[in-house]
Structures are given as structure tokens and as C-alpha cells.
Amino acid sequence: MDKAHQILKSVFGYDSFRPLQKDIIDHIITGKDALVLMPTGGGKSICYQIPALMLDGVALVVSPLISLMKDQVDALQANGIAAEALNSSNEEYFNRIIRTRCQNGDPRIALTATADKITKSDIVEQLRLNNPRIFFSSFDRPNLSLDVRKAYRKRERLRTILDVINRHPNESGIIYCL
């Protein structure tokens, strides 16, 4: 078993990688840049957490979701892995310490769930990625379904919602209504 698989099992408790994860990890640990487009829940965090544990230096993750940062940092720290979050909820003094620690590091990978052509180009330019390989994971999520319905009157709307709930007993779901 190679080192990436050992870390996947011993640190994260998984027996196997999801699609593209191992390819991305192998690419990153050879020192190459990458841009990864993978759906929410597709396993992006493993793609940077395992290389961060395998390589020397600092892994810097840029995320607009402070709560997600906190959850991931807390989980890593609970597993004995040194991790910190640099964001606007921190005291500036603490952020300055983190920035200073990161200045000498050079591990680079950009991961996102969504990005159009302009956004992808902007990510590559702003992060100064050097000829990154672009990994694009399928956004087909067999466990998710999307159903769009026309507007109903209030009574019909309630009946339609109850029909959906009754068709999916003991399952989780989200119903968006105007």
C-alpha cells in the first residue's frame, strides 16, 4: 500500500479513493499545479489534505466559506494534524502569524465546486498557477435528484410537497419553494 493510501486509511478512515482523487494527489505530490473542479461532497478536501501530510511545508487553502474552514480545521486538529484558518473572523495578529508561516511554502492547488471559463482563468491568474493540469470531475450525483414544477395554488402546492415526501420515506431532502 502506498503512502497516500496509508494516510487515507489511518487518518481519514477510508479504504479507497473516490474518482480522480488519487490522480490529483499523485499530480500534486510531484510538485505540479492543478485546478480541480469537483462537485460539493465530491471529496476535494482529501485532494489537498493528503498531499499536505505527505509533503514538507505549508498547504494553503483559500475558501470563501468560513464555517467550512472551521469544520475542516477542527477535524484535522482532532486527528492531531497541524491546521489553522486564516480569515476575517480571526484577530489580525493571529492572521499575521499564519501569513508569516506561509510565506516560504510552495504547495499549489485550486479546488472549487463551480467555475465558468472566466472564473477558471481568473483562478489560474490570481494564484499564479504554472501550467496547471485541470481535473474535471463528473457532476452527476446519482444520490441527488432535481425536479422543477410549475407554480401551484397554495392547496396544490402543499399536496405536491406531501406527495414528494411520501415518495421518499426515511430519506433526506430539500424542497425549495417561492
Side-chain angles (χ1 to χ4, degrees), residues 153-168:
R153 291 190 193 119
K154 193 172 191 172
R155 175 177 270 177
E156 293 171 290
R157 184 181 310 147
L158 182 58
R159 187 176 66 240
T160 301
I161 291 170
L162 291 173
D163 287 345
V164 170
I165 292 169
N166 289 329
R167 283 197 321 267
H168 300 277

Side-chain angles (χ1 to χ4, degrees), residues 8-151:
L8 181 72
K9 179 68 176 169
S10 65
V11 175
F12 300 100
Y14 298 117
D15 292 321
S16 61
F17 287 104
R18 292 184 183 174
L20 285 182
Q21 287 180 322
K22 184 69 166 79
D23 293 337
I24 294 164
I25 291 166
D26 289 344
H27 184 78
I28 295 303
I29 62 173
T30 62
K32 297 176 183 160
D33 292 346
L35 173 60
V36 178
L37 290 105
M38 193 176 277
T40 301
K44 290 183 290 292
S45 60
I46 290 292
C47 295
Y48 61 81
Q49 291 173 346
I50 289 180
L53 293 171
M54 294 176 69
L55 300 170
D56 291 331
V58 174
L60 177 63
V61 180
V62 179
S63 171
L65 304 172
I66 293 174
S67 61
L68 178 61
M69 283 188 227
K70 180 175 179 359
D71 290 347
Q72 291 187 345
V73 167
D74 289 350
L76 290 168
Q77 289 174 341
N79 282 318
I81 298 166
E84 298 178 45
L86 177 105
N87 59 55
S88 60
S89 69
N90 293 343
E91 295 291 329
E92 183 52 35
Y93 171 76
F94 187 65
N95 281 342
R96 197 171 25 248
I97 291 170
I98 296 171
R99 279 193 299 271
T100 301
R101 290 179 186 163
C102 294
Q103 285 178 338
N104 293 327
D106 200 33
R108 291 195 299 188
I109 178 174
L111 304 100
T112 184
T114 57
D116 59 20
K117 188 175 184 176
I118 294 170
T119 304
K120 286 189 278 187
S121 295
D122 194 41
I123 290 169
V124 169
E125 180 183 331
Q126 295 298 319
L127 295 179
R128 297 184 182 128
L129 299 180
N130 182 20
N131 194 25
R133 178 171 169 196
I134 298 178
F135 292 88
F136 186 82
S137 179
S138 171
F139 282 72
D140 178 30
R141 303 277 300 277
N143 62 325
L144 299 180
S145 64
L146 178 63
D147 189 8
V148 180
R149 304 281 177 101
K150 68 175 186 159

